[in-house]
Amino acid sequence: MASSVDEQQYDERMKMLKAFDETKAGVKGLMDSGLLKIPNIFVRPSEELAQESLLTYKNTTTQIQVPVIDLSDIQSNNADKRKQIVEQVRIASETWGFFQVVNHGIPLTVLDGMIDGVRKFNDQDVMEKKKYYSRDIKRRVRFNSSYDLFTSTTASWKDTLTISFSGPAHPEELPPSCRELAMEYSKHVEILGNSMLGLLSEALGLKTDHLENMECSEGHRLHCNYYPACPEPQLAIGITNHSDAGFLTILLQNQIVTGLQVLHQGQWLDIQPIPGALVINIGDLLQLVSNGKFRSNEHRATTSHIGPRISVACFFSGPLNGDMNKIYGPIEELISEENPRVYRNVLLSEYVANFLSTSMDKYRALDYYKL
Ligand code: OGA
Ligand code: NI
């Protein structure tokens, strides 16, 4: 039986994806081979490209920025100052779902070290990187171009090293090129994650340790994203339009070029890198347990002629290596007659399985669990 044109195109695409995946060299491998045009698997659909100019803010004419929150007073015993910070966190979480933090307590040397570690990992000989190339989610350390390469509409112009930190540490499993630097960053970002969950709990009118007691920060995962310079950035995408699935994300980005964009009033707005700052965003699970009070906003990363752009996203997504039978639902204290429950309960194992079965551009967890 002759297959339709669509089926032929699909088969052709799968073949190209497979060939690319089998190089185990990622997008950087393509660029190192001296590419001048991007392969078809990375070209966004024409309808999407046609929409693009309508959707992008001209940042030269707007001063709009996601809120920047100074955390320097969070440790002081001054209750008023802490209240002011909590109020800023509440407003930012309800409206944008995104903000940047400065004076967060992680030394600049640790941030720069982490970026440097990712650069070193990616710059080393491809044979060394291949040892980590895998899509097996049971592996605590895995390198690939993107987890949804075979399911997404457009392949992402990036390579990602994923490192899971949960349970006892196994430093020997980490690549030597970034081992110490990633361990050090992980230690600091975990502390910041917990103090952010404290502020977020208070911003919901709950006790400081409420979200931590729900095991929201039980383990975390680093996605070290490496976006090589792209010869045709207007046709490609670094990471497609998505919202993060977990509770909370802390994102570190290098300073060379903008890339991260957030959806604001239907248009894409750049999140400008600020030296020493970290981006914080609310994920789908936190929107769900806050019964919709906090917002998990859509975002993406563009590509550029300038590169590499490096980012490290730290996801706090609950006890993924622990009790997968854990159930999350809207927090009782936040539900009342005036505020009825808007989401149903989630079984963590089912939530993760749903997420992994498709691509981030086709599945939005929150729609699925809405009542
Ligand atoms: C992510 C993400 C954006 C970036 O990894 O979920 O949104 O700037 N990354 O790399
Ligand atoms: Ni994201």
Side-chain angles (χ1 to χ4, degrees), residues 66-208:
V66 302
V68 179
I69 302 180
D70 185 342
L71 297 182
S72 44
D73 286 324
I74 169 184
Q75 306 297 1
S76 78
N77 289 326
N78 186 328
D80 275 349
K81 288 200 169 140
R82 183 165 174 103
K83 244 190 221 157
Q84 283 168 17
I85 296 173
V86 168
E87 187 58 7
Q88 290 175 47
V89 167
R90 181 187 66 78
I91 294 169
S93 305
E94 288 181 4
T95 53
W96 289 89
F98 264 85
F99 48 97
Q100 301 210 57
V101 291
V102 293
N103 299 318
H104 42 64
I106 306 187
L108 199 55
T109 48
V110 175
L111 304 182
D112 290 347
M114 184 68 229
I115 295 283
D116 224 44
V118 179
R119 190 193 317 279
K120 282 195 188 115
F121 173 81
N122 283 279
D123 275 353
Q124 68 193 327
D125 192 274
V126 70
M127 290 311 287
E128 196 51 40
K129 293 197 278 185
K130 278 184 184 179
K131 292 184 194 162
Y132 298 92
Y133 203 90
S134 169
R135 297 184 181 284
D136 178 359
I137 58 151
K138 289 195 209 77
R139 280 181 67 162
R140 299 156 67 94
V141 179
R142 50 191 190 273
F143 170 62
N144 57 46
S145 180
S146 49
Y147 82 92
D148 60 354
L149 178 70
F150 290 97
T151 46
S152 59
T153 310
T154 309
S156 307
W157 190 262
K158 71 170 173 71
D159 298 327
T160 299
L161 173 70
T162 301
I163 310 175
S164 294
F165 289 89
S166 44
H170 292 278
E172 72 286 354
E173 292 177 15
L174 270 65
S177 48
C178 62
R179 184 180 296 157
E180 307 297 330
L181 298 160
M183 297 285 291
E184 185 67 10
Y185 183 68
S186 159
K187 203 173 70 191
H188 281 91
V189 82
E190 180 172 4
I191 295 169
L192 179 62
N194 278 320
S195 75
M196 289 317 304
L197 287 175
L199 294 171
L200 289 159
S201 299
E202 290 177 36
L204 288 169
L206 304 165
K207 287 216 181 83
T208 310

Side-chain angles (χ1 to χ4, degrees), residues 165-167 190 194 197 211-221 247 315-323 326 328 348:
F165 289 89
S166 44
E190 180 172 4
N194 278 320
L197 287 175
L211 291 168
E212 196 179 336
N213 287 344
M214 287 169 64
E215 300 182 21
C216 300
S217 54
E218 194 65 35
H220 56 275
R221 202 169 70 254
F247 288 99
F315 299 107
F316 296 90
S317 309
L320 294 186
N321 283 25
D323 181 11
K326 205 169 166 66
Y328 285 110
L348 194 57

Side-chain angles (χ1 to χ4, degrees), residues 98 239 242-244 249 251 260 281 299-300 313 315 360:
F98 264 85
I239 191 166
H242 69 285
S243 55
D244 293 348
T249 307
L251 185 112
L260 177 60
N281 67 286
H299 54 284
R300 68 177 188 179
F315 299 107
M360 57 167 93

Side-chain angles (χ1 to χ4, degrees), residues 25-60:
V27 174
K28 183 171 188 298
L30 284 177
M31 283 309 284
D32 290 347
S33 69
L35 206 76
L36 295 176
K37 286 178 86 62
I38 66 173
N40 276 340
I41 51 172
F42 296 99
V43 178
R44 296 163 66 196
S46 47
E47 320 82 76
E48 205 180 292
L49 293 170
Q51 291 278 318
E52 195 55 46
S53 61
L54 297 173
L55 293 175
T56 307
Y57 256 103
K58 299 289 168 278
N59 260 17
T60 44

